[in-house]
Amino acid sequence: MNNILTLKHVSKVYHTKSGEIEAVKDITFSIKEGEFVSIIGPSGCGKSTILSILSGLEKESDGFISCENCSIGYMLQTDALFPWLTILDNALLGLKIKKQDTIENVNYVKDLLKTYGLQGFEKKYPSELSGGMKQRVALIRTLALKPDILLLDEPFSALDYQSRLAVSDDVFQILKHEKKTAIMVTHDLSEAISMSDRVIVLSKRPCSVKRIYDITLSNASNPIENRKAKEFASYYDLLWKDLDVNV
């Protein structure tokens, strides 16, 4: 597989009245096409800053990012659905903003809703859906623009534990079926191990890459089943030690 995204020596410095704050320091890694990669690290280390830089919301202070001829979609921590819009209109929002709501693209979104269990809910409103269903709508809204890479920033953090397991499984299956490359920031080590091809561990702030793990699980299938793999506990212990969290 070819690299679809490369970061080389990327840094981010914020300038404040009291001086400079270095958030990201000398980040280097590559993502292969079709990979699912998770980024973990201590709270406040700069994980979400990296996603903001990749999405274009912020500009790196130094370094180089290569993402030639690729588009990026960003799925936020909350579903961020507008309560006054129907499910279909929420799913079409990005296309309408970019004035790309052609008949072909609208039909593509309708097909996604049908394929991923939301047929019959097109005229419903977010308040009528479960948390998991709303996250699926948010993902479909992101997929509507046909991005090459999806950035997922703690996408399941607002859900209870059981819903989180089910929705993480849904999202994983959807991304694999749609053949998308994904980068997910998460605090949940089990989530990272069970969903990812690789896990990038960041150091304390200012963050740098501490270690990158290739995740190889016996009989790998979906996130729920992957947690039962014999290698799962070993990966968990390694990641926990690398985080060096003092409580």
Side-chain angles (χ1 to χ4, degrees), residues 79 81 87 118 126-127 129-139:
D79 57 66
L81 302 181
I87 296 310
L118 290 161
S127 61
L129 271 61
S130 67
M133 293 172 79
K134 286 189 280 190
Q135 284 299 95
R136 266 183 273 159
V137 177
L139 178 58

Side-chain angles (χ1 to χ4, degrees), residues 13-231:
V13 176
Y14 293 100
H15 299 276
T16 68
K17 291 181 180 179
S18 57
E20 293 185 345
I21 298 175
E22 190 174 26
V24 175
K25 182 179 182 179
D26 197 27
I27 292 286
T28 296
F29 64 80
S30 295
I31 306 292
K32 296 185 183 299
E33 189 173 358
E35 266 194 311
F36 194 116
V37 175
S38 287
I39 298 176
I40 65 170
S43 294
C45 73
K47 299 184 293 295
S48 292
T49 299
I50 293 173
L51 292 194
S52 294
I53 292 170
L54 292 176
S55 68
L57 294 174
E58 297 191 42
K59 176 69 175 172
E60 67 274 15
S61 302
D62 198 7
F64 171 76
I65 299 174
S66 173
C67 186
E68 295 183 8
N69 300 319
C70 69
S71 58
I72 292 178
Y74 199 164
M75 187 172 167
L76 302 172
Q77 291 183 10
T78 60
D79 57 66
L81 302 181
F82 289 108
W84 59 87
L85 293 180
T86 65
I87 296 310
L88 179 58
D89 286 336
N90 267 293
L92 293 172
L93 188 60
L95 288 172
K96 289 181 177 179
I97 290 172
K98 289 185 172 288
K99 301 188 186 311
Q100 295 177 12
D101 52 334
T102 61
I103 293 175
E104 179 184 358
N105 285 340
V106 170
N107 286 335
Y108 173 65
V109 170
K110 288 180 178 178
D111 285 342
L112 287 174
L113 291 170
K114 179 180 178 180
T115 300
Y116 300 117
L118 290 161
Q119 186 177 26
F121 291 90
E122 295 89 345
K123 295 182 180 180
K124 302 287 186 182
Y125 291 87
S127 61
E128 300 176 82
L129 271 61
S130 67
M133 293 172 79
K134 286 189 280 190
Q135 284 299 95
R136 266 183 273 159
V137 177
L139 178 58
I140 289 168
R141 179 182 57 199
T142 307
L143 290 173
L145 293 165
K146 300 179 181 178
D148 299 299
I149 302 173
L150 269 82
L151 307 179
L152 310 172
D153 190 359
E154 292 280 357
F156 318 119
S157 59
L159 302 171
D160 63 75
Y161 181 73
Q162 286 183 325
S163 297
R164 186 170 184 143
L165 283 176
V167 176
S168 66
D169 197 74
D170 282 347
V171 169
F172 177 86
Q173 301 285 11
I174 292 170
L175 294 180
K176 289 300 181 183
H177 187 265
E178 298 297 321
K179 299 185 170 121
K180 295 298 181 182
T181 306
I183 304 172
M184 179 176 72
V185 160
T186 181
H187 285 91
D188 189 319
L189 302 188
S190 296
E191 201 166 80
I193 297 164
S194 64
M195 296 183 73
S196 305
D197 298 300
R198 288 188 295 151
V199 176
I200 298 172
V201 184
L202 301 181
S203 67
K204 295 178 181 178
R205 189 171 187 163
C207 67
S208 58
V209 175
K210 192 171 185 178
R211 194 168 280 109
I212 300 177
Y213 289 93
D214 292 308
I215 304 298
T216 304
L217 301 175
S218 301
N219 303 314
S221 56
N222 58 62
I224 292 177
E225 290 300 315
N226 288 348
R227 292 171 187 245
K228 303 174 186 176
K230 62 182 181 181
E231 302 88 355

